[in-house]
Amino acid sequence: MVGQTVNIPGAQFFDHQRVAVVGLGISGVASLEVLAGATSATLSAWDSAPGPIEALDVPVDRAACIEDPDELAKEILAWQPDIAVLAPGIREVSPLFTTLESAGLALWSEIELAWHLRAAGDDGEYAPWLCVTGTNGKTTTVSMLAKILTQAGLRGLAIGNVGSPAVAEVSRTDSGAPGAFAVELSSFQLRTTHSVSPAGAVCLNIADDHLEWHGSREAYWQAKARVYEHTQAACVYPIGDSHVQAMVDGADVQEGARALGVTLGIPPVGAVGLVEDMAVDRAFGASRWDEGVELFSISDIEHLAPSGASLPAHIVIDALMAATLARSVGVSPDAIREGLSGFQGGHHRIELIDTVAGVSYVDDSKATNAHAARASLMGCEDSSVVWIAGGQAKGSRFDELVAAVAGKLRAVIVIGKDHEPWRAALRDLSVPVEWINPETSQPMTEAVAAATRHAQPGSTVLLAPASASMDQFTSYAARGAAFAHEVRRIRG
């Protein structure tokens, strides 16, 4: 759908509804603003810190700051809401979450709210959603996809766990409103998303992550699997990944939706893959049983390789996934090729900061789990990497990761406040390991200095922490920026 959007049909659902918005971060405030502006719902706002409540500029029936989670849950229930829109930071295993859920209250993510508050076009149609989840590669894939959708004339926009809050963008009624959405979905968002019916969906991969949020591997994987629910046209999956294949097989989809594979090999019918250096579509089109359609060549995305390195396989996979989702809404091969060739990768994802005295310094701060860190390390030469790892472990263990990448390592520098899982994983490693004091005020200054001491010409100092950043930094971006700052100090 491209054209002027004119109304929000789902707004009437909220007539006489009482909606509690719990957690007033960016998505929570956006939820309140859209609900207040587009619906007649009675609203309340809740947080555990006073600042967000004091800054609130939306008319609500009640606003309260209550630090104790049990008391907060009690007061929310006493207000008698019909729906609670929860911030993604509220863990599935937290007393607040479990108490509200046990009381039978409908728990929604901001994504669920956004689905109900989509604006319809003057033709009565909605802009299609293409949903992406996975342990690794989500942001790259949705960014590629948004670029392709825009190239196709659909005014594509990346939303969800990236960019502007989804509820603010999908409810726009101006003439420049996006005509298609590439939606990045975290497991936190998916856990309380129930009604979304995307045109196409993919889980890129699955590995243990965020276990401290969900409480178990099974709960985390079940949340990820929700991305395929109610899919209209294309359930896209990586061929050979039995775990993701099982998610597709178990999904309750709309009639006519197809399972479509993606592979780095030659694609069978019903899949997209590579024939030599050409991405080929055998999933769409009446002639797919007899021939494929060329979508793009590897040369179209070679500019995304780190300087001096070959193009990582996971970048190729991300491009194939984005292309397949785009094909599910009718995007032409020319638009896919032009979109990918014009796409520029974001910061903090295998980003070469500088090469100093023959040593390459690479920022992959976005590698916040073992799966992503492994992909980054496996693209390096044997015995060449001085690895800066560590941070907020999120309940993960790293023994398998270290065993898989040991041959790539020259030394390891461990940052973060939680060294225990790393001591267990690194105890038998034959290369030097340095531990940065968890109480230091300058962890990245000390880490880069230590890494530089162990490096030699031809080495790569790689920040790929396999952990979240919030123990010592405000975000993975801040962690990557601190790394880049220290590297530039070396050059300076």
Side-chain angles (χ1 to χ4, degrees):
M1 176 203 67
V2 176
Q4 185 173 2
T5 52
V6 294
N7 63 358
I8 302 176
Q12 62 185 353
F13 171 85
F14 295 91
D15 292 347
H16 313 298
Q17 295 285 312
R18 294 170 66 83
V19 182
V21 176
V22 187
L24 302 182
I26 294 173
S27 64
V29 171
S31 296
L32 281 171
E33 290 175 344
V34 175
L35 282 165
T39 78
S40 61
T42 302
L43 306 177
S44 63
W46 311 83
D47 207 288
S48 59
I53 294 292
E54 294 167 356
L56 192 62
D57 189 26
V58 178
V60 296
D61 182 67
R62 185 176 178 201
C65 164
I66 303 173
E67 185 174 353
D68 179 76
D70 293 314
E71 185 65 20
L72 177 55
K74 178 181 176 181
E75 290 298 315
I76 292 171
L77 291 173
W79 187 74
Q80 297 185 317
D82 300 295
I83 300 163
V85 179
L86 301 185
I90 300 172
R91 298 181 182 186
E92 179 180 355
V93 296
S94 69
L96 177 57
F97 191 110
T98 56
T99 300
L100 296 179
E101 185 174 51
S102 297
L105 180 59
L107 303 184
W108 286 15
S109 65
E110 179 244 339
I111 298 299
E112 177 72 11
L113 178 65
W115 182 256
H116 285 267
L117 291 176
R118 292 168 295 150
D122 50 16
D123 56 0
E125 297 294 322
Y126 296 100
W129 286 28
L130 297 168
C131 293
V132 178
T133 195
T135 302
N136 186 35
K138 298 185 293 296
T139 301
T140 299
T141 303
V142 297
S143 300
M144 287 177 168
L145 180 55
K147 181 75 172 179
I148 291 169
L149 294 171
T150 296
Q151 188 65 45
L154 294 174
R155 293 199 303 273
L157 184 68
I159 58 171
N161 202 39
V162 62
S164 302
V167 69
E169 294 294 346
V170 305
S171 61
R172 285 172 53 183
T173 57
D174 59 277
S175 60
F181 295 99
V183 189
E184 178 181 330
L185 296 177
S186 70
S187 58
F188 309 158
Q189 294 163 317
L190 283 164
R191 173 61 178 82
T192 47
T193 295
H194 317 287
S195 307
V196 171
S197 180
V202 65
C203 181
L204 300 169
N205 42 60
I206 187 75
D208 288 351
D209 198 15
H210 300 301
L211 302 188
E212 87 297 351
W213 196 98
H214 293 278
S216 69
R217 168 187 289 181
E218 291 72 22
Y220 170 63
W221 288 29
Q222 287 170 7
K224 288 291 192 185
R226 298 172 77 95
V227 75
Y228 291 115
E229 292 298 307
H230 317 302
T231 298
Q232 299 171 24
C235 293
V236 183
Y237 69 97
I239 290 177
D241 190 324
S242 60
H243 299 299
V244 178
Q245 175 73 64
M247 294 178 183
V248 174
D249 293 343
D252 182 11
V253 302
Q254 291 197 12
E255 185 174 354
R258 295 190 295 140
L260 303 176
V262 168
T263 177
L264 289 175
I266 297 174
V269 174
V272 173
L274 293 179
V275 178
E276 297 181 348
D277 66 345
M278 183 64 64
V280 173
D281 168 15
R282 296 194 67 199
F284 301 94
S287 61
R288 60 183 179 273
W289 285 272
D290 302 313
E291 60 185 5
V293 176
E294 295 182 354
L295 300 179
F296 65 90
S297 70
I298 295 299
S299 63
D300 293 319
I301 56 173
E302 278 184 334
H303 62 284
L304 300 175
S307 179
S310 58
L311 185 66
H314 63 83
I315 296 293
V316 181
I317 283 285
D318 292 345
L320 290 168
M321 294 291 190
T324 306
L325 288 172
R327 291 289 281 165
S328 74
V329 291
V331 173
S332 71
D334 286 345
I336 291 171
R337 181 181 298 107
E338 291 168 10
L340 289 173
S341 63
F343 173 74
Q344 298 297 323
H347 295 299
H348 314 301
R349 189 70 181 101
I350 319 182
E351 179 184 5
L352 178 67
I353 301 303
D354 203 347
T355 300
V356 183
V359 177
S360 299
Y361 291 82
V362 176
D363 171 14
D364 198 6
S365 183
K366 204 172 187 303
T368 58
N369 55 63
H371 188 277
R374 176 174 178 168
S376 189
L377 284 154
M378 295 305 287
C380 300
E381 297 293 328
D382 290 350
S383 304
S384 68
V385 180
V386 182
W387 180 23
I388 300 177
Q392 195 172 28
K394 300 179 291 182
S396 298
R397 309 298 295 183
F398 303 105
D399 303 67
E400 291 184 7
L401 168 62
V402 171
V405 303
K408 302 294 182 181
L409 303 177
R410 177 177 177 82
V412 182
I413 314 299
V414 183
I415 60 174
K417 291 186 177 292
D418 185 10
H419 284 179
E420 187 278 327
W422 290 100
R423 290 192 183 277
L426 296 168
R427 62 178 176 266
D428 296 326
L429 201 63
S430 60
V431 302
V433 178
E434 285 201 34
W435 305 87
I436 303 303
N437 186 342
E439 303 307 319
T440 181
S441 62
Q442 298 292 330
M444 196 58 71
T445 301
E446 296 183 25
V448 172
T452 300
R453 290 195 298 270
H454 288 282
Q456 66 178 15
S459 297
T460 297
V461 173
L462 175 64
L463 173 66
S467 305
S469 59
M470 300 296 284
D471 56 341
Q472 292 181 318
F473 303 89
T474 57
S475 65
Y476 75 80
R479 180 171 59 189
F483 175 79
H485 175 74
E486 295 304 323
V487 173
R488 291 176 182 125
R489 284 181 58 182
I490 296 171
R491 166 66 74 183

